[in-house]
Amino acid sequence: MEQSSILVRIKELRRHRGWSQSDMAERLNVALKTYQNLESGITRIDIERLGQVASILGVELIDLLGYQPKPEAYIDRFINEEKALYHKIIQDKEAYIKRLEENLKVYQDILQRSSDDPGNIFQ
């Protein structure tokens, strides 16, 4: 995003909060003229100062810069989350099947013992 767009965003956020340029200058601990020069683009604003402005305005620096993640990033994240969920479901089902097989083996052993000695199946 170019500097002029960032400065427009700063001005919008400042006004949205009901703050004057003087209020921002005070919060940044700079002279009013210094802040006016920053907001108007006369003085180039560096990344450190942008970070301070973002903090004062209560926004993340990346939001102040107007970063918009590409939709592909959301799609990739969604696909990866779905894959992880799918693998978890498969693992859970495999564990469940294994427990069922173990239980089946126990019941088969009980039935085998009961057919060998019908009066004493729990030995």
Side-chain angles (χ1 to χ4, degrees):
M1 175 177 263
E2 62 184 53
Q3 183 172 339
S4 62
S5 299
I6 295 168
L7 297 176
V8 167
R9 180 91 174 111
I10 290 170
K11 186 183 290 187
E12 288 172 351
L13 289 167
R14 175 181 58 78
R15 286 181 174 168
H16 177 74
R17 283 158 181 73
W19 297 344
S20 66
Q21 287 183 331
S22 180
D23 294 329
M24 281 297 292
E26 186 177 319
R27 285 174 168 82
L28 282 169
N29 296 316
V30 297
L32 173 59
K33 187 66 176 166
T34 301
Y35 181 76
Q36 290 171 331
N37 288 343
L38 286 172
E39 192 175 272
S40 67
I42 293 170
T43 302
R44 192 154 181 86
I45 190 165
D46 63 25
I47 194 71
E48 184 179 328
R49 183 68 71 186
L50 274 174
Q52 292 171 337
V53 169
S55 177
I56 289 168
L57 293 171
V59 297
E60 295 291 326
L61 178 58
I62 199 158
D63 296 328
L64 188 61
L65 296 174
Y67 173 75
Q68 296 293 322
K70 295 181 180 178
E72 296 85 32
Y74 291 117
I75 292 169
D76 288 344
R77 190 178 80 210
F78 175 77
I79 289 171
N80 289 334
E81 288 172 357
E82 288 297 307
K83 283 181 182 178
L85 180 59
Y86 174 78
H87 289 296
K88 173 97 172 86
I89 290 169
I90 296 297
Q91 288 173 346
D92 289 348
K93 283 188 175 184
E94 289 173 351
Y96 180 70
I97 289 170
K98 184 176 179 180
R99 280 193 309 260
L100 286 175
E101 289 172 341
E102 289 168 356
N103 289 341
L104 181 60
K105 176 81 169 115
V106 169
Y107 294 134
Q108 286 173 336
D109 288 346
I110 290 171
L111 287 173
Q112 180 62 40
R113 279 187 264 160
S114 72
S115 66
D116 292 345
D117 184 4
N120 199 4
I121 63 170
F122 293 106
Q123 289 184 351

